[in-house]
Amino acid sequence: MVTPVPGPHAVRATRVRHLGPHWYSAVMGTAALAGAGAALPARVRPPQPVLATVWTLSLVLLIALLAARALHWTHHRDQARAHLLDPATAPFYGCLSMALLAVGGAALTAGHGLLGTGTAVALDAVLFTAGTAVGLAAAVAVPYLMVVRHRIEPGQVTPVWLLPLVAPMVSAALGPALVPHLPPGQPRETLLLGCFALFGLSLLATLLMLPLILARLLVVGPLPLALTPALFLVLGPLGQSTTATGAVADLAPGVVPEPYVHGLAVFAVLYGVPVMGFALLWLAFAAAQVVRAWRRGMGFSLTWWAFTFPVGTCVTGAASLARHTGLTAYAVLAGALYVLLLAAWTAAASGTVRGLLSGRLPAAPPPAPAEPRPVRVRTRSGAVR
């Protein structure tokens, strides 16, 4: 019997079987490198052509991944459904939203010189609308599945659970940039206050989730080595919320009534300063955990992209505080964090390229960490504990 040789289309379809939604993190990290660079103070900002090149790369990656994921859903629906029912993979559907939003937002800042203002605004409007809709759907659907379909043990809690909850915060941070391009009056105020509402939605949901993550670390212990970079995901809602409050305050004059303009400017500082302080504390804590994991043999995996986008949000958050406070310290902090972002992006991108060229990628997403079995010790009295 002659075995039929699969055609080129079938081979391409097979290659994307394990192309899960976590791959959108590469788009997020690349777009963050462009968008965060454009947000830096002028004296430390990378050249505009460099930022435009990085943004173009993020757009190309987004288009390629959307096409590959469409192929995945067409030919591997069983795998796609399995991703939704896997508590370790389902939260990554928030990455699709943030990839769309990040590329759209960076189009206005890093890509406008290449596209022109009109095209950049149109592209951002489309991606912002799609990304916000996907983000709101993920923020509802993923927790719903976690409650009614997933079977989760305490040891399976990871910072990845934050991904669908942070997506609306990205909309809150990037949406205000579209306000000046809307007709004056109700349209502008609706979008601006809508972004502020998304800020509250994401913030309160994140505050409910963070205690679970910290409790898991304290009670169960460190994350598995491959998942340790996911600790950086906690920086996402911290830096992005600081960015969001600053962006809303920047666009408030002439859009909302005067008393609220001053209040939003004050809130941006009173909220952003302490939150950025906690972000730096968590950055040190997460970095220490990564060093520990590296010494124990942590190798490259796609979780390394968790080093990029969350740090990028801290760059834009620090840059926002630099504008609102006038403090040089925040400008220096934004520049230092951008250097860290650049190093993280270089490490993640080079590891991904090597994995693709060697054929190790795309690989199946990592399974949810299993809760370690309790240790039972018999004491001298004979009691078991």
Side-chain angles (χ1 to χ4, degrees), residues 247-314:
V248 170
D250 288 339
L251 275 298
V255 176
V256 298
E258 187 57 38
Y260 303 118
V261 173
H262 181 67
L264 289 171
V266 171
F267 180 71
V269 175
L270 294 182
Y271 174 87
V273 170
V275 169
M276 186 56 61
F278 179 69
L280 294 177
L281 171 66
W282 190 272
L283 175 61
F285 171 75
Q289 294 284 318
V290 169
V291 170
R292 173 189 175 276
W294 178 262
R295 289 177 175 176
R296 283 163 172 75
M298 180 188 74
F300 173 78
S301 68
L302 286 180
T303 54
W304 281 32
W305 285 103
F307 295 139
T308 57
F309 188 80
V311 174
T313 69
C314 292

Side-chain angles (χ1 to χ4, degrees), residues 7-305:
H9 185 75
V11 172
R12 288 194 296 269
T14 302
R15 288 177 178 173
V16 301
R17 177 168 178 78
H18 295 302
L19 192 76
H22 56 304
W23 275 87
Y24 286 112
S25 59
V27 180
M28 294 163 53
T30 305
L33 188 65
L40 289 172
R43 59 183 177 274
V44 295
R45 189 179 304 155
Q48 186 64 31
V50 174
L51 297 177
T53 301
V54 176
W55 173 79
T56 302
L57 176 60
S58 71
L59 178 63
V60 171
L61 289 175
L62 177 62
I63 295 172
L65 271 176
L66 288 174
R69 286 286 294 163
L71 193 64
H72 178 272
W73 272 92
T74 301
H75 294 277
H76 304 289
R77 293 181 183 177
D78 61 323
Q79 190 74 3
R81 287 192 294 268
H83 287 166
L84 284 172
L85 298 179
D86 181 1
T89 307
F92 283 101
Y93 276 90
C95 290
L96 169 57
S97 166
M98 291 185 280
L100 295 169
L101 292 166
V103 173
L108 280 182
T109 56
H112 72 90
L114 187 65
L115 298 174
T117 301
T119 303
V121 170
L123 178 61
D124 187 22
V126 172
L127 294 180
F128 173 79
T129 302
T132 301
V134 172
L136 289 173
V140 174
V142 174
Y144 174 83
L145 288 172
M146 294 172 74
V147 171
V148 302
R149 296 297 300 273
H150 299 166
R151 295 297 175 261
I152 300 171
E153 300 295 334
Q156 293 178 312
V157 179
T158 74
V160 170
W161 288 11
L162 291 171
L163 289 172
L165 305 180
V166 177
M169 188 67 80
V170 181
S171 295
L174 298 177
L178 288 169
V179 168
H181 304 285
L182 292 175
Q186 290 272 336
R188 292 186 180 183
E189 186 173 1
T190 299
L191 177 58
L192 189 67
L193 294 184
C195 290
F196 201 41
L198 290 171
F199 159 82
L201 179 159
S202 180
L203 176 65
L204 295 177
T206 298
L207 290 177
L208 292 174
M209 191 65 72
L210 283 177
L212 297 177
I213 296 170
L214 183 58
R216 182 255 181 255
L217 294 173
L218 293 175
V219 175
V220 180
L223 294 174
L225 296 184
L227 283 177
T228 302
L231 289 170
F232 273 67
L233 294 176
V234 175
L235 296 174
L238 302 176
Q240 201 68 277
S241 61
T242 303
T243 304
T245 55
V248 170
D250 288 339
L251 275 298
V255 176
V256 298
E258 187 57 38
Y260 303 118
V261 173
H262 181 67
L264 289 171
V266 171
F267 180 71
V269 175
L270 294 182
Y271 174 87
V273 170
V275 169
M276 186 56 61
F278 179 69
L280 294 177
L281 171 66
W282 190 272
L283 175 61
F285 171 75
Q289 294 284 318
V290 169
V291 170
R292 173 189 175 276
W294 178 262
R295 289 177 175 176
R296 283 163 172 75
M298 180 188 74
F300 173 78
S301 68
L302 286 180
T303 54
W304 281 32
W305 285 103

